[in-house]
Amino acid sequence: MLIAAILLSAAVHAESWCAYPLHAHEWGVEVFRADGHREPPVAMPGWFHGEAPSAGPEGTPVRTLPADSGVRTLPVVHFYGPGRWADTVPLAVEVGFSQGRAAAWYPQADLLRSPEEANGGAARRQLAALQKQRAERQAFMGDSGYLPGDPTAQLVWDALSLSPEPASSPQETDVSWVPALRGLDALWVNQGGESERFLFYEADTSERPALRVERGETWSPQRPHYLLHNDTDHPVHSVLVLTEGGTLGFYAPQIPAGSSAGFLLDKPGPDDPRALLKDALVDHAQPVLATDYSWAREDCVMGRDPAVPVTQASDHRLFEPEVDAILEIWGERFFAADDTVILYREDTESLAELMPLSLYTDMFHFLDLRRLGLVLWEGLDLAALTEGGS
C-alpha cells in the first residue's frame, strides 16, 4: 500500500505582475516484506474513500480558468503561506498509478478511472497528443481555449480549494498519524463538505523493491560480505541497512542505476541513521516556509496558464517540520525493528513514471513541486541468504 501526500504552500494575493508561489510537497512510504510482497503500512481512517464519486465537481474546473494574457484581472496534503490569506486558492490534481490501482483517497475525487482505462494504449496516445497541445500554447495569447485533463490519471480532483481555515469540520479520528499531520501549521484542502490538512491517495500495485541483496563472493561467517544490486533504470538514494534495533550497518548516498554496492556487516557504523536520513531529506536552503515573498525578484513568474499543469518535481527535499512529522510517524518502523531492514529514497524520475502527477492552479500562483518517496524493505534475514540469493 502506498501513502502519498502533497504538501502545498502559497502566498497572499493582490494585484501584481508576479504570480505567488505555491509549494507542492508530496511524500509517501512504500513497505515491502522480505519476500518482496507489499503490505499495508499504517492504519487508515474509515472515512477515507475507496469508491467512485456519484457526481461531478461542485466548483469550476481549474483548467478552464482564464489564462494570464498579460492583463491581470486578478499520498496526505498541507498548505503554508507567508502573510495572511484573504481568499482561497483553486487547485486541481490528477494522479495515476502505472503499475497499480487506486485504493483509497481523501477528500472524495471527482473522477475515478480503472487502471485498464488509464494505463491502456488509447490513454497513452491521447496523453501524447495533449502534451503536444500544451507545448504549443503560448503565454500572453488571451483565451487559448479549454484543454482536457490527463487521460492516464486514475484519480482526478477538478476543483479543490485551499484556505487558512477548514470550510467544513474535519472528521474525528483515533488514527494517530492523522492528528500528527494536522498539527503542521498548514492550509486546508476543501472539497464539497470535506476538509483536511492534506490530500491523500494510496494504491495497490505490482511494484517490487528496486534493490536486490545477496552474499558477496568473499562471504564467510567471520566476514559477512553482502552486495546490494540496483537493477532498475533509475538511481536510488540515501540507502540505509539497519540491523536489529536500528543499528546502522551500511549507508550509501546513492546506488546508480545498474550498479552495485558492497558492505561488511561485522560492526555497527559510527553514524546516527535517523540524523543521516533527516539530513538527506530536509531542504537546508529553506528549512521552513519563508514568512514573506517579495515581488522585486529576478524570478518573477508571469504568463501563467491554468490549463497547463506542473508535472515535474524540482527536488525531493521538504521543510524540516514535514520531515520531523514523517520520522515521528514512521520512526519505530524505520529505526526500532527486531530484524534487518533496508530503507532508501526513490528517484523523482522513477516516481514520475510509477505515479504520474499533474497539479493545476490559477494564473495568480505558480507551483514548485517536491516529491519524496521512501521505501522500507523489512523482515530481512541476511544470515539466511545463500550465495546469489536475495
Side-chain angles (χ1 to χ4, degrees), residues 41-80:
V42 292
M44 300 294 161
W47 36 268
F48 278 1
H49 298 287
E51 297 181 355
S54 58
E58 295 186 8
T60 303
V62 172
R63 293 188 309 274
T64 67
L65 295 178
D68 185 341
S69 64
V71 179
R72 289 200 180 269
T73 60
L74 297 124
V76 195
V77 183
H78 291 278
F79 304 84
Y80 309 84

Side-chain angles (χ1 to χ4, degrees), residues 135-209:
E136 290 173 349
R137 289 175 72 103
Q138 298 182 19
F140 304 108
M141 293 295 290
D143 186 359
S144 300
Y146 170 80
L147 287 182
D150 183 350
T152 69
Q154 290 187 34
L155 289 170
V156 176
W157 291 267
D158 268 325
L160 298 168
S161 68
L162 311 180
S163 60
E165 300 293 336
S168 304
S169 297
Q171 296 272 3
E172 295 183 1
T173 183
D174 57 0
V175 176
S176 61
W177 61 265
V178 174
L181 293 182
R182 287 177 180 172
L184 296 177
D185 185 16
L187 297 172
W188 291 81
V189 184
N190 307 294
Q191 166 79 312
E194 297 176 333
S195 296
E196 191 49 86
R197 287 271 195 187
F198 50 81
L199 177 70
F200 172 89
Y201 41 85
E202 70 173 10
D204 296 320
T205 82
S206 59
E207 297 169 34
R208 307 284 290 184

